[in-house]
Amino acid sequence: MRIDSATRDQLQAWEKELSAQYQRICQHELNLDITRGKPSADQLSLSDKLDGLLNGEYRADDGTDTRNYGGLDGLVCSRELGADILQVPASEVIAGGNSSLTLMYHAVLTGYLFGFAGNKPWREMQAPKFLCPVPGYDRHFAICEQLGIGLVNVPMTATGPDMDEVERLVQADQEIVGMWCVPKFSNPTGVTYDEETVERVARLGKIANPGFRVFWDNAYAIHDLGQQVSLPNIRTASLENDTVDCVLQFASTSKVTHAGSGVAFVSASPANLASLKQQMQAMTIGPDKVNQLRHSRLFPEFSMLKEHMKKHAEILQPKFALVLKHLDEAFGESDLGQWEKPKGGYFVSFDTRPGCAQAVVKLAADAGVKLTPAGATFPYGKDPEDRNIRIAPSFPPLEELDTAMSVFVLCVKLASVRKALAA
Ligand SMILES: Cc1ncc(COP(=O)(O)O)c(C=O)c1O
């Protein structure tokens, strides 16, 4: 199906045929959901050994009684686990509670209220702003929105954010105080930043205001679906450029063990960690060290964590393959949409023809298939071209995903034809 070369008669014929198919599907009263990137029950079960693993042995190897208060940095063994995931020294890692998003929230709050490493707090600026590669992760944007920090869109490319644009913006506006990055298997495009992009991100500290921080959210650091994709090390690049204070890194085991009760990590330069801890020490006496110990006992070696991730990949890979098969078969020869083929992470990002995404989401919802709201992958929920839809294949069983994708492709076709007819 090619819309641009179709005659009006052809479009009308397609509309009639697709509408009839759509009406038939609506009669099935489906109730399917491919919205959020949650692990499936099968994936969660891979880590059920956590339960009871300590068997009354609450002491860590260094003698810490994990049941008690204290240890703002987290257990040494847990910091080592975070260090392996992020490929940084354990001395530069804090192991926290269950959510990296919480750590990111506290890091933004630290910059906003107190400033990092002796720099001016962002709240003292007239209009502090973050750069947001788009499409991106809605919960990153929500943190800034809640604090009144402005959001500036930067387009994603196949190798990472458009760095010409990033550098231009950072140079032009000294009130740009941060940038969100999901450098590996980006949410939602699946893109991994290439070497040049990582190097240029590391150099931003040379042109930005001194309080500027890159929020390097490496949520999918070890979430390869097949062959391992390597991401250049941002700490090494920033050490070489003398910009180590400009980067904060994050990760967690949310999509490794149990999503709601994993361990989260932040890694940063000593000066930044001191700023973070100053803020955190008023808020908590320490993280859940019992849970941290459980995780370290489950993965005493990094190689065991990697083996564990292969089991996740075995469950996820067929789901991604199914989504891509539907898209290839329906749109491979068409001008109805574009998508990347991710090698890991949790999402497939689909771009419709301009102005169709909201209509697709509405048609799918009316047919009983819930999709992420159109626009959710952009700051303020506004996709300027109304094109992007994030597909999350992980949660539903394969049969349900198959049905949901059949409905999805039909809705894309119908919305595209109707849009062309209305033009
Ligand atoms: C890019 C990204 N960062 C962070 C998170 C949430 O991480 P956590 O569960 O550690 O808070 C997600 C979850 O989907 C994500 O996609």
Side-chain angles (χ1 to χ4, degrees), residues 128-130 132 134 138 141-142 144-146 148-153 374-383:
K129 300 166 207 80
F130 263 56
C132 306
V134 290
D138 53 349
F141 308 152
C144 289
E145 280 180 47
Q146 192 173 69
I149 297 172
L151 300 166
V152 182
N153 293 3
T377 51
F378 284 75
Y380 313 110
K382 287 200 190 95
D383 176 352

Side-chain angles (χ1 to χ4, degrees), residues 36-37 98-102 104 137 139-140 182 187 217 219-220 251-255 259 264 347 390:
R36 295 224 79 94
N98 71 317
S99 159
S100 62
L101 196 69
T102 306
M104 289 177 240
Y137 180 37
R139 292 186 193 269
H140 285 162
V182 183
N187 177 349
D217 177 5
Y220 301 108
S252 78
T253 68
S254 292
K255 286 164 180 167
F347 303 101
R390 187 182 77 171

Side-chain angles (χ1 to χ4, degrees), residues 315-336:
I315 298 172
L316 284 172
Q317 208 282 335
K319 296 187 178 181
F320 275 77
L322 181 68
V323 168
L324 294 172
K325 179 169 152 289
H326 273 279
L327 297 180
D328 273 332
E329 282 175 7
F331 306 125
E333 301 294 318
S334 83
D335 57 1
L336 269 63

Side-chain angles (χ1 to χ4, degrees), residues 401-423:
L401 186 61
D402 200 18
T403 311
M405 283 308 297
S406 303
V407 175
F408 176 76
V409 298
L410 176 63
C411 294
V412 171
K413 288 179 187 170
L414 187 54
S416 308
V417 169
R418 284 183 178 168
K419 175 89 186 165
L421 278 170

